[in-house]
């Protein structure tokens, strides 16, 4: 019963917008035929009767379902979706606070009150129908002592005003005191009712009013329908009358007038309503021009198209979410079962793109600048079972939602959604992602975990996204690993000139750069000193710039290579350390007698390194290692590992990126060979080293 009541409430709200439109249109149709106004009320009736509606871009209904059943039943902080933001903002905070769910109870408060309201509604319907039945029985008793004048026309001493009674076999009842001329005028009016089938439409209107008695706008609509029906019949009855006949007709109206409540006493009878207005209109009546009639018909058709249809989902009118870089504006949900959280300092950056084949992709860059593997996205349909259940609560029932939001509310207002799983996600990193685009265009990203068949999936964070406030200004000088240099200059025309020096690989000068505002990226291309084509994309990655080569002729630096560059500003945490600073930090931590052989600066935020020192220790026979490495972080703290071989005369010490250094060692027969050592971190207190021999 509650579901039926909610359905009728939503139909009533949708029809209310149409009633308001009809109230605006009625004065404009003052000179139009009377049937046009009645036809508009017929459109209202259709809106109230049809349990379904087609979607249309022309629909003027703000919301097809203002109160959604799942909100009433499941949402812990219920809200409405009227389609009018101002109304939502005024009602929703009060509604959510008044009907907030109590975790200790098993039913939503609004759901319980809706069940009570459904019972009250049913009692109201029964009362309206009983009123109609009693009125009909009383009227039948009054006309029992009537005599047939001719055909279906009867005379009765107990009635003061003519009316029609009956829907299947309608009879016209007239007061006994009318003369012949008055009788003909009255019959002309009542036969116009029969010809227009008003003895069907008015009872139908009352039945609809009985079902929607809780809506005051529909009471007004019913009263105006009765008035417009009478005026339309007057127009039909006086068509072709002369001035004298018209005055006589108006005199009959006045003579047969009764108090308005008498006409409302029986919903199935046609009593007189609005007599003064009707007389005034009849005395001023002129047959409408053809163009006025045509215009009235167009208005009625337009009202039907605009108000008998539901609005299309907003996603059809929303901008494409892909082709932009977004930042996090707010944490909407933070799962309470985890200890850590996200802050403004640790917010990731999200790149939403589509490849040449149209495949949507999400790329996450963390606050350190580390870029996770790209995540292919596929469209999904959010459901309560597949989406809401991913948001967990703590054992004490506390939820992680902020600002009164809920999964159900987001799902209901969602226009489009995509999901994807990060390939080869590192330990601890979220591997399940959901991108949501709301009906108002707002973007959300849900980040969680897909554990497999042995544990339920869950959402760790839900983030509200925003596009950059303005274009990123890349102008400046930046330095990268191995002495790489990037110089970006802003031209007067808004373009960029780029210089890129990769020692031993390529030197590109005065390359043209173009800023892509949608992707917040700088694209540049040119010909390097070897004559090869070189092109790249520059993006902001945390506190540094990332240069991703999109075209390259160098086998040691192919397309797809990502290079990190840092500002020369020494105040930045990932600045370039000088050789003297690296050696000083090494000396402060090394054992007595340690001898530095070579050092290299590595401003690599992703690897957590600013430099590496190659050194040896005096051979006192207590250790098998002969060559040592110290990896220094941004605070100058070193982690040490050793190798059981002596360094070559020319160690060729080089940083390769990703926490890896390459150098040369010497065998016992004095032949040299290459070695790579990688330093990686599983956490703040866990550092691993991996060494491998190369052919160099």
């Amino acid at each position: 019963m509650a579901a039926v009541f909610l359905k009728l409430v939503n139909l009533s709200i949708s029809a209310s917008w149409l009633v308001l439109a009809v109230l605006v249109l009625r004065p404009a149709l003052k000179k139009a035929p009377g049937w046009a106004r009645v036809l508009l009320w017929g459109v209202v009736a259709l809106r109230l009767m049809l349990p379904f509606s087609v979607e249309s871009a022309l629909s003027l209904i703000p919301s097809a379902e203002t109160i959604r059943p799942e909100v009433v039943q499941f949402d812990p902080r219920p809200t409405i979706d009227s389609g009018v933001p101002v109304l939502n903002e005024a009602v929703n905070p009060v509604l959510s606070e008044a009907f907030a769910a109590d975790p200790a109870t098993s039913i939503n408060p609004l759901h319980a009150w809706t069940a009570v309201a459904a019972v009250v509604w049913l009692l109201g319907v029964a009362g309206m129908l009983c009123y109609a039945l009693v009125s009909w029985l009383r009227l039948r008793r009054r006309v029992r002592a009537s005599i047939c004048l001719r055909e279906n026309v009867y005379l009765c001493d107990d009635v003061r005003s003519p009316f029609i009674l009956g829907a299947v076999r309608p009879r016209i009842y007239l007061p006994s005191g009318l003369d012949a001329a008055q009788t003909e005028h009255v019959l002309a009016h009542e036969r116009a009712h029969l010809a227009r089938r008003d003895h069907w439409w008015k009872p139908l209107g009352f039945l609809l009013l009985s079902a929607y008695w809780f809506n005051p706008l529909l009471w007004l609509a019913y009263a105006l329908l009765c008035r417009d029906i009478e005026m339309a019949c007057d127009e039909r009855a006086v068509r072709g009358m002369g001035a004298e006949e018209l005055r006589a007709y108006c005199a009959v109206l006045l003579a047969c007038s009764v108090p308005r409540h008498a006409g409302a006493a029986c919903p199935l009878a046609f009593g007189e309503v609005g007599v003064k207005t009707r007389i005034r209109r009849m005395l001023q009546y002129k047959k409408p021009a053809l163009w006025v009639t045509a215009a009235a018909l167009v208005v009625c058709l337009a009202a039907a198209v605009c108000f008998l249809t539901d609005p299309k989902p907003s996603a059809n009118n929303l901008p494409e979410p892909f082709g932009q870089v977004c930042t996090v504006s707010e944490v909407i949900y933070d799962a309470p079962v985890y200890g850590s959280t996200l802050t403004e300092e640790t917010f990731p950056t999200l790149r939403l793109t589509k490849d040449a084949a149209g495949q949507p992709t999400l790329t996450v860059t963390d606050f350190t600048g580390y870029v996770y593997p790209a995540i292919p996205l596929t469209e999904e349909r959010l459901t309560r079972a597949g989406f809401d259940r991913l948001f967990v609560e703590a054992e004490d029932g506390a939820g992680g939602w902020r600002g009164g939001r809920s999964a159900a509310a987001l799902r209901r207002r969602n226009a489009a959604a995509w999901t994807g799983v990060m390939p080869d996600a590192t330990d601890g990193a979220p591997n399940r992602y959901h991108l949501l685009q709301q009906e108002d265009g707002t973007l959300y990203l849900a980040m969680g975990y897909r554990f497999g068949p042995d544990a339920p999936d869950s959402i760790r964070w839900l983030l509200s996204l925003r596009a950059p406030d303005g274009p990123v200004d890349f102008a400046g000088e930046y330095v990268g690993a191995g002495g790489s240099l990037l110089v970006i200059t802003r031209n007067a025309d808004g373009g960029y000139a780029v210089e890129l020096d990769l020692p031993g690989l390529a030197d590109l000068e005065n390359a043209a750069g173009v800023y892509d505002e949608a992707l917040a990226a700088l694209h540049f291309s040119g010909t390097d000193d070897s004559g090869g084509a070189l092109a790249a994309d520059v993006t902001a990655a945390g506190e540094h710039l990332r240069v991703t080569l999109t075209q390259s002729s160098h086998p040691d630096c192919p397309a797809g290579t990502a290079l990190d560059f840092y500002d020369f500003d020494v105040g930045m945490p990932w600045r370039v350390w000088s050789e003297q600073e690296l050696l000083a930090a090494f000396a402060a931590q090394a054992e007595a007698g340690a001898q530095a052989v070579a050092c290299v600066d590595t401003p690599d935020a992703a690897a957590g390194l600013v430099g590496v020192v190659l050194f040896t220790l005096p051979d006192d026979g207590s250790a098998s290692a002969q060559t040592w490495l110290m990896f220094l972080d941004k605070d100058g703290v070193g982690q040490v590992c050793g190798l059981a071989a002596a360094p070559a005369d020319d160690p060729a010490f080089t940083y390769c990126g990703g926490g890896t250094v390459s150098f040369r060692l010497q065998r016992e027969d004095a032949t040299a060979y290459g070695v790579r050592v990688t330093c990686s971190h599983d956490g703040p207190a866990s550092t691993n080293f991996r060494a491998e021999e190369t052919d160099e």
Side-chain angles (χ1 to χ4, degrees), residues 119-141:
V119 174
V120 174
W121 162 75
L122 195 59
L123 292 175
V125 172
M128 293 286 288
L129 296 179
C130 287
Y131 168 76
L133 178 61
V134 170
S135 298
W136 181 79
L137 290 175
R138 290 179 61 188
L139 197 55
R140 287 282 297 177
R141 186 170 56 192

Side-chain angles (χ1 to χ4, degrees), residues 307-393:
F307 289 96
L308 289 182
T309 57
D310 288 338
K312 284 189 174 182
S314 300
N316 296 334
N317 304 317
L318 291 176
E320 172 70 55
F322 299 97
Q324 61 179 324
V325 174
C326 296
T327 56
V328 178
S329 62
E330 184 183 2
V331 177
I332 305 300
Y333 170 84
D334 191 347
V337 295
Y338 297 97
S340 61
T341 187
L342 285 177
T343 63
E344 290 187 9
E345 292 75 21
T346 58
F347 282 164
T349 301
L350 299 315
R351 181 181 296 272
L352 306 173
T353 57
K354 275 188 176 181
D355 60 21
Q359 170 65 54
T361 302
L362 167 67
T363 304
V364 181
T365 303
D366 68 13
F367 72 100
T368 69
Y370 179 75
V371 181
Y372 288 91
I375 305 165
L377 299 177
T378 57
E379 289 192 43
E380 68 168 336
R381 180 178 177 272
L382 301 184
T383 63
R384 185 163 60 90
F387 180 72
D388 297 18
R389 68 176 182 82
L390 299 176
F391 297 86
V392 298
E393 295 182 350

Side-chain angles (χ1 to χ4, degrees), residues 153-439:
V153 180
Y154 290 77
L155 297 177
C156 183
D157 294 335
D158 292 335
V159 298
R160 292 181 55 190
S161 179
F163 60 86
I164 295 175
L165 184 63
V168 179
R169 294 179 180 178
R171 292 181 176 182
I172 301 174
Y173 290 91
L174 305 177
S176 300
L178 298 178
D179 60 26
Q182 290 176 326
T183 299
E184 291 305 317
H185 288 314
V186 169
L187 289 178
H189 178 87
E190 300 304 334
R191 284 167 179 160
H193 275 307
L194 294 177
R196 290 169 38 81
R197 302 294 188 268
D198 290 334
H199 58 296
W200 294 348
W201 308 136
K202 188 175 179 182
L204 176 62
F206 185 83
L207 286 176
L208 290 175
L209 181 64
S210 300
Y212 295 94
W213 61 265
F214 52 84
N215 189 331
L217 270 179
L218 295 183
W219 284 88
L220 175 61
Y222 180 74
L224 294 177
L225 167 68
C226 294
R227 176 173 296 189
D228 289 339
I229 283 177
E230 295 300 330
M231 288 185 177
C233 284
D234 286 337
E235 288 184 7
R236 183 162 182 161
V238 303
R239 192 183 304 164
M241 287 186 180
E244 289 298 326
E245 287 183 293
L246 186 58
R247 280 193 290 272
Y249 180 87
C250 292
V252 173
L253 280 181
L254 187 60
C256 295
S257 64
V258 294
R260 188 167 302 176
H261 63 82
C266 180
L268 303 181
F270 286 91
E272 304 292 349
V273 293
V275 173
K276 290 183 180 180
T277 304
R278 292 167 59 191
I279 291 175
R280 188 181 305 114
R281 183 175 176 84
M282 288 303 98
L283 292 176
Q284 299 173 353
Y285 175 74
K286 292 182 180 180
K287 183 179 179 180
L290 181 60
W291 71 268
V292 173
T293 303
L297 184 59
V298 170
V299 168
C300 294
L301 291 175
V305 171
C306 295
F307 289 96
L308 289 182
T309 57
D310 288 338
K312 284 189 174 182
S314 300
N316 296 334
N317 304 317
L318 291 176
E320 172 70 55
F322 299 97
Q324 61 179 324
V325 174
C326 296
T327 56
V328 178
S329 62
E330 184 183 2
V331 177
I332 305 300
Y333 170 84
D334 191 347
V337 295
Y338 297 97
S340 61
T341 187
L342 285 177
T343 63
E344 290 187 9
E345 292 75 21
T346 58
F347 282 164
T349 301
L350 299 315
R351 181 181 296 272
L352 306 173
T353 57
K354 275 188 176 181
D355 60 21
Q359 170 65 54
T361 302
L362 167 67
T363 304
V364 181
T365 303
D366 68 13
F367 72 100
T368 69
Y370 179 75
V371 181
Y372 288 91
I375 305 165
L377 299 177
T378 57
E379 289 192 43
E380 68 168 336
R381 180 178 177 272
L382 301 184
T383 63
R384 185 163 60 90
F387 180 72
D388 297 18
R389 68 176 182 82
L390 299 176
F391 297 86
V392 298
E393 295 182 350
E395 293 182 358
D396 60 0
W401 291 96
R402 302 179 183 178
R405 298 174 175 90
S406 68
L410 286 173
R411 171 172 49 79
R412 292 192 312 271
R413 298 187 179 95
N414 200 63
W418 298 262
T419 185
V421 177
M422 180 182 291
D424 304 323
T426 58
D427 292 341
N431 63 358
R432 176 177 187 147
Y433 292 81
H434 299 266
L435 178 65
L436 314 180
Q437 186 177 36
Q438 299 282 279
E439 293 175 348

Side-chain angles (χ1 to χ4, degrees), residues 482 577-584 586 596-602 610-615 629-630 632 651-655 661:
W577 286 41
S578 67
E579 182 177 340
Q580 290 76 14
E581 288 177 304
L582 292 174
L583 292 177
F586 158 74
V597 176
C599 69
V600 61
D601 61 89
T602 62
V610 296
V612 186
V613 178
L614 180 71
F615 66 98
L629 295 168
M630 179 179 287
L632 298 164
F653 195 49
T654 307
Y655 183 67
V661 290

